[in-house]
Structure formats: C-alpha cells, structure tokens
Amino acid sequence: MTGKIEISIMIPILNEEKYIEHTVNSVINGTENIETMELLLVDGGSTDNTLNILQRLSEKHQFIKILHNKKREIAPALNLAIKESKGKFIVRMDAHAEFPKNYVNILIDALKEMPDEVANVGGTLETKSMSGNIVGETIAIVSSSKLGVGNTLFRTEKISELRYVDTVPYGTFRKDALLSVGCFNEHVGTSEDLELNNKLRSAGYKIAMIPNVSFVYFCRENFRPFIAQQFDNGSCVMNKNSFSKSFYKLRHYIPMAFTLYLISLTIIAFSQLSLLKIIATLPFALYVFIAIILGLANAIQKSNPLFIITVPIILLTLHLSYGLGSIYGLLQIPFPFLRSMKRK
C-alpha cells in the first residue's frame, strides 16, 4: 500500500464465522482501487473461527488491518476504528451483509460532490436469508414490511431521488464531522447509529439517502437469535436515560404498547364482561387478519403456502420480543441491578 489513504472502511465483528468471509470478499471484489484504501476489521473477542478467517484474509490482502475491541460491543468497536483510521472518509459496514459492485465508490463520489454540510450518505437495504430456510425467509419478509418495522424508509422502500433523512443504514461519513460530535455514543446499546445521526443533525449537518444504492443484509435465521436480537433492540429504547433521547420515533414504542395490550387482553379474558371481551379483542383480530393477508400475498408471490402460517407467527414473535425487551428496559430504570441482555 503506497500513497496517502483517503478512505477507511470499518466492520465491527463478533462471532461471525458464517458470514464474515462472504462479506469481506463482497467488499474487496466490488470496490475499485481498494488497494489504496484501508479495511479495518474490528473483532470483539470472537470465540468461534472468526479470528482465523480474519487472519487468513489479512495475510492475503495488505490493506486489511485487524483491530481488537476489548469492550466487545458495536459502538466501542466503531470508535476504535475511527481512532485508528487514516482516511478522511469513513465507510461503516456490517458483518451480516453483502455489498454490490461499486457500493463504496458510489457513496464516496456522492459525498465528495455534496456540500460540507452533508456529513453522511447511504442507501437502502434489502433483507434476505442466507440459508433460505423457511424461518429465515419469513424473518426477511417481516423485516421488510411496514407492518413489521413501521415507516423505516431504508428497509421498506426504494427511492428514485435524493432525500434528506433522519438516518441511513450504516453510512459513509466525513471523518471531521464524526470527530466534531464525539463519534459514537457507547452507552445507547444497539441504537448507536440513530444516536449518532441525531447528533449530526443537531449540529447542523445533513444526512442524505442516495437513490439506486442498496446492499443485502442477512437476517437471523432461527427463532432463538432472532428473539434475542429483538429483545435487545427493544430494551435499548426504554432503559436508563432513554427519555432524553429524542432520536427514538413513535414506531420504537408501539411494540411495547402492543405487548401491554396483549397482557391486558389476557386479564380481560378472565372477566365476566362479555361485551368488554369482544371490544378488547377486535384490535388483535384485525392484527391477525392483516398478518394473514401479508402471509397470503407472499405465499402466492413465492409459491409457498407455508408463509400463510409462518408470517403471522414471526410477526407476532418480532413485536412481542421487542415489546418485552422494552418493558424489561423500563424496569431497569427503578431496578438498575437488572442486567442488560448481551447478544453473543
């Protein structure tokens, strides 16, 4: 590697032996002049075969540098990479992803052409299952639907023109803008991207979503890791200090309200008031009906009738896991001894 490095790509990693080589190869094979950049792979103390894979990749490619994140979590990994980076542009990526040809080059070119007030640019993401099993395919469907994730633009829509938005998935940043707002907050759990983009906008910067730029995100493919992921995401919304975090939107609180509704519905079921039972059940009946319609639509589109059953089940699992996580996070405020649920 010769000359001054202008672009630093960073990927936080923890126990990603199934995905990481595929992800890194997609970045290397799809990025022009990547040998003039640096690729920072930040491992959080993986206990599977991830480190061996990273070591092999770094021996093959001189522009790869392995960093070790002793704090294990995502935000500290990203801050470590920013601290060690040499470029003035920072491309934040994820280990559960596949990036198309020229993804990095397009975003860097777009950011260079924009005024300095634009601190971060990104595109949209398409959620897929790497294995293609029925659970993974259903999680991908639900995670890409407005019924599943609300009005999360980058997950549910494709755009045809540039938009200024609240956040983009991962993002490509001006390093000086990151440094000016203190980089990533290490105390907001899995909400580090939302919090950072909120800080950037509060400081007067803009976030731009670029049309026709998208990458593939590989979702969880089994119930247990999916439930753990959503529970963790939900708990971040409501844990200590969350009420001062204006970057959360209404959609982040709806699963908790829905979960509390279902709990109250269970209590009402034991009452003697028949009319109350009927009225209280109507919203849930509508929810189930819409979920079945979503499952039916995908069953027809993908020629698999199982989606009629699996979509409502996964949808309910997502909302309950997230909602219960939010309730747990809320309980951590008066009972701080309750430990945070860390994903392995």
Side-chain angles (χ1 to χ4, degrees), residues 18-38:
K18 181 178 178 180
Y19 300 94
I20 190 57
E21 187 163 12
H22 182 85
T23 297
V24 171
N25 283 334
S26 76
V27 176
I28 293 173
N29 296 331
T31 305
E32 291 184 8
N33 301 317
I34 193 169
E35 66 278 357
T36 66
M37 308 174 191
E38 61 177 352

Side-chain angles (χ1 to χ4, degrees), residues 260-329:
L260 291 171
Y261 158 71
L262 290 184
I263 293 172
S264 66
L265 193 63
T266 303
I267 297 171
I268 292 172
F270 291 99
S271 75
Q272 301 300 316
L273 303 174
S274 299
L275 181 60
L276 179 61
K277 290 180 183 179
I278 294 173
I279 295 174
T281 304
L282 287 177
F284 183 63
L286 179 61
Y287 174 91
V288 172
F289 175 75
I290 296 174
I292 291 173
I293 294 299
L294 178 63
L296 178 61
N298 280 276
I300 294 172
Q301 181 183 357
K302 301 177 185 296
S303 302
N304 189 339
L306 284 177
F307 288 126
I308 300 174
I309 300 171
T310 59
V311 166
I313 292 173
I314 294 295
L315 189 68
L316 186 60
T317 300
L318 185 159
H319 292 149
L320 282 177
S321 301
Y322 196 107
L324 289 171
S326 296
I327 293 171
Y328 187 85

Side-chain angles (χ1 to χ4, degrees), residues 127-148:
T127 304
K128 288 186 177 181
S129 165
M130 178 174 273
S131 69
N133 68 42
I134 188 65
V135 174
E137 288 288 334
T138 307
I139 290 173
I141 290 169
V142 168
S143 300
S144 303
S145 71
K146 290 187 177 180
L147 184 59

Side-chain angles (χ1 to χ4, degrees), residues 226-244:
F226 178 64
I227 290 171
Q229 180 190 40
Q230 297 308 318
F231 187 95
D232 191 17
N233 289 342
S235 68
C236 291
V237 175
M238 294 303 299
N239 64 12
K240 63 181 182 179
N241 301 322
S242 64
F243 292 109
S244 64

Side-chain angles (χ1 to χ4, degrees), residues 182-196:
C183 299
F184 289 88
N185 188 330
E186 299 184 6
H187 305 288
V188 293
T190 55
S191 300
E192 76 285 338
D193 286 320
L194 286 173
E195 197 274 343
L196 173 65

